Amino acid sequence: AQTVTQSQPEMSVQEAETVTLSCTYDTSESNYYLFWYKQPPSRQMILVIRQEAYKQQNATENRFSVNFQKAAKSFSLKISDSQLGDTAMYFCAFMKLPGANSKLTFGKGITLSVRP
Amino acid sequence: GAVVSQHPSWVICKSGTSVKIECRSLDFQATTMFWYRQFPKQSLMLMATSNEGSKATYEQGVEKDKFLINHASLTLSTLTVTSAHPEDSSFYICSARRQGGTDTQYFGPGTRLTVL
């Protein structure tokens, strides 16, 4: 079974600064995807970024980037130039492949507060 | 886009009654849909996976007779909470995977159920 660990329950960052959210996972699979989802106060889950395990290059989406260390089974999210709208709960998630019913395994989440 | 809707967004019911929650993929066909439950400040817990035209696969510990799932078409899945009790009060979220697409799940906005 896969496990996803987010050990920091809460973090706070000043607006315009950079923050890194940590995530580690445990799996015996060699082919999988990793995701970061954002859940703002509206509670709508929003995909932030996704990384395929076979890709060595770290994924980037505008101000969001990941540091994917496959050997260490680490998948951290860096948010640059933090904005007030980044205030949300962030979940790291794992999905093994292949399979039509491949499921997401979520970490416990981290609450990020961006201070004005 | 990949929009998933849920209806209703919130519902209050009396103990012992049944409640149906709908999950629709609005602009794509979804062969697989997932139902999650989320308690405040906690992570998403997968309840079941549903495939169009077949029986849902329930996670361990989820009562299939209490949480009835029907995936009658490629755009609609329903979750019926039967004989609801106060402990069933929670936030229920569905997600859908696009037919023939990547393994990304697109989430609905969630339904808040309160059982009195």
Side-chain angles (χ1 to χ4, degrees), chain B residues 87-107:
Chain B
E87 56 265 31
D88 299 324
S89 297
S90 190
F91 194 66
Y92 292 88
I93 306 175
C94 73
S95 70
R97 177 182 292 145
R98 191 196 302 262
Q99 181 184 36
T102 67
D103 289 278
T104 298
Q105 291 184 25
Y106 300 95
F107 286 82

Side-chain angles (χ1 to χ4, degrees), chain A residues 96-107:
Chain A
K96 73 174 185 179
L97 297 174
N101 290 347
S102 292
K103 303 180 290 189
L104 282 169
T105 300
F106 286 94

Side-chain angles (χ1 to χ4, degrees), chain B residues 34-98:
Chain B
F34 303 85
W35 287 95
Y36 298 86
R37 184 173 180 175
Q38 185 182 32
F39 292 105
K41 298 290 187 181
Q42 294 189 22
S43 189
L44 280 71
M45 182 192 79
L46 180 64
M47 300 174 66
T49 302
S50 75
N51 289 299
E52 185 264 338
S54 61
K55 289 184 178 180
T57 302
Y58 289 81
E59 294 299 301
Q60 191 172 7
V62 177
E63 299 176 61
K64 59 182 68 176
D65 293 332
K66 180 163 188 63
F67 299 99
L68 299 178
I69 292 172
N70 184 278
H71 193 159
S73 76
L74 286 172
T75 59
L76 173 65
S77 177
T78 60
L79 167 68
T80 301
V81 183
T82 62
S83 186
H85 287 98
E87 56 265 31
D88 299 324
S89 297
S90 190
F91 194 66
Y92 292 88
I93 306 175
C94 73
S95 70
R97 177 182 292 145
R98 191 196 302 262

